[in-house]
Amino acid sequence: MTHIIEVKQLKKSFDELEVLKGVSFDIQAGEVVAVIGPSGSGKSTMLRSLIHLEEVTGGTIRLLGQGLVEDGRYASGKDIRTITDRMGMVFQHFNLFPHLTVRANLELAPKTLKKDTAAGIRKRSMELLDKVGLLEKADVYPANLSGGQKQRVAIARALMMQPDILLFDEPTSALDPELTGEVLRVIKQLAQENMTMIIVTHEMGFAREVSDRVFFMDKGEIAEAGTPEQLFGNPQRERTRLFLQREKLEE
């Protein structure tokens, strides 16, 4: 199996605060990894570092063998762009452009980067809107969509660039419970299509169902990693057990 992402000894500090303390992992092509853990454990910082929305203080990140950062030294600006363009990211708060229609939101980046002909880009945007069940909303503005619909548009927009890997940062935490299901269904479908994904989530049931592996992060490190069966069914670390017990009580 190909390692699509290799991360070694990733460190990140904000002034005196050490947010990532030597995080290391590999992810294979087609693998779905869920990242769980308490607030402030470094989950989002780790994810944002992979796509260069955060600059790390030390460590190595490679995508398909290409070094984004090697021992704390970043690649050139052009190479960074080439590497990060192979990843798509879906944020907690959608980040859609309010002044653009749904379709224009999807088509903006590929048109700007001249990824295809206008006709090719239009065809792809309509196919992806159909895939996420929003074809009839192509000419609507984001203000007229529900939170769940906005998040499905955000997923389609990330897919427009045909990424090798999709990163999700708490994709359902801004949604009402009844809208969460429609977003998780789309992510589940992508998992069935062997899309490589890293999903930071607080939805334990979803993490258990959709992921091949689960990382439990606590205090800036991966405290435990394993299959959903191992991690949820028989956690090895006291920190993991306590976190999962707390989550159960809050359900």
Side-chain angles (χ1 to χ4, degrees), residues 117-216:
T117 62
I121 290 168
R122 173 58 44 92
K123 180 170 179 283
R124 182 156 173 80
S125 70
M126 298 311 268
E127 285 169 358
L128 285 170
L129 285 174
D130 192 30
K131 182 188 188 82
V132 299
L134 290 171
L135 192 55
E136 76 287 357
K137 301 288 187 188
D139 298 314
V140 165
Y141 288 89
N144 298 313
L145 300 176
S146 71
Q149 289 169 335
K150 285 177 190 168
Q151 196 57 294
R152 285 187 282 152
V153 170
I155 294 170
R157 182 177 62 177
L159 290 167
M160 278 297 288
M161 301 298 285
Q162 297 173 295
D164 293 303
I165 181 164
L166 267 187
L167 310 174
F168 291 87
D169 190 8
E170 297 275 14
T172 60
S173 65
L175 302 179
D176 295 332
E178 67 271 18
L179 299 176
T180 295
E182 65 191 55
V183 174
L184 297 183
R185 268 195 300 278
V186 171
I187 299 174
K188 216 176 289 182
Q189 184 189 344
L190 292 171
Q192 286 160 358
E193 293 167 6
N194 288 330
M195 183 78 198
T196 311
M197 295 187 278
I198 304 177
I199 308 166
V200 170
T201 183
H202 64 286
E203 301 275 344
M204 296 302 127
F206 176 68
R208 190 170 197 155
E209 185 184 349
V210 82
S211 61
D212 299 301
R213 275 190 300 158
V214 182
F215 295 167
F216 168 62

Side-chain angles (χ1 to χ4, degrees), residues 20-169:
L20 297 177
K21 303 174 184 173
V23 170
S24 299
F25 60 87
D26 294 332
I27 290 178
Q28 295 178 332
E31 197 175 16
V32 179
V33 172
V35 184
I36 64 169
S39 296
S41 57
K43 305 184 299 293
S44 292
T45 303
M46 182 272 289
L47 202 67
R48 291 167 64 84
S49 300
L50 297 181
I51 201 164
H52 197 233
L53 291 173
E54 296 282 2
E55 287 225 350
V56 297
T57 321
T60 295
I61 300 169
R62 294 192 196 108
L63 180 71
L64 288 167
Q66 279 189 292
L68 172 68
V69 56
E70 297 270 355
D71 292 328
R73 295 182 58 166
Y74 276 90
S76 70
K78 188 164 171 259
D79 288 342
I80 287 174
R81 185 65 198 256
T82 305
I83 293 163
T84 55
D85 274 354
R86 301 178 78 169
M87 294 181 259
M89 183 140 178
V90 178
F91 299 89
Q92 184 176 341
H93 293 293
F94 330 127
N95 292 15
L96 299 177
F97 293 109
H99 63 289
L100 297 179
T101 65
V102 162
R103 184 165 58 200
N105 262 285
L106 264 67
E107 294 176 2
L108 180 66
K111 278 181 174 168
T112 307
L113 296 170
K114 299 185 171 56
K115 281 280 184 185
D116 198 353
T117 62
I121 290 168
R122 173 58 44 92
K123 180 170 179 283
R124 182 156 173 80
S125 70
M126 298 311 268
E127 285 169 358
L128 285 170
L129 285 174
D130 192 30
K131 182 188 188 82
V132 299
L134 290 171
L135 192 55
E136 76 287 357
K137 301 288 187 188
D139 298 314
V140 165
Y141 288 89
N144 298 313
L145 300 176
S146 71
Q149 289 169 335
K150 285 177 190 168
Q151 196 57 294
R152 285 187 282 152
V153 170
I155 294 170
R157 182 177 62 177
L159 290 167
M160 278 297 288
M161 301 298 285
Q162 297 173 295
D164 293 303
I165 181 164
L166 267 187
L167 310 174
F168 291 87
D169 190 8

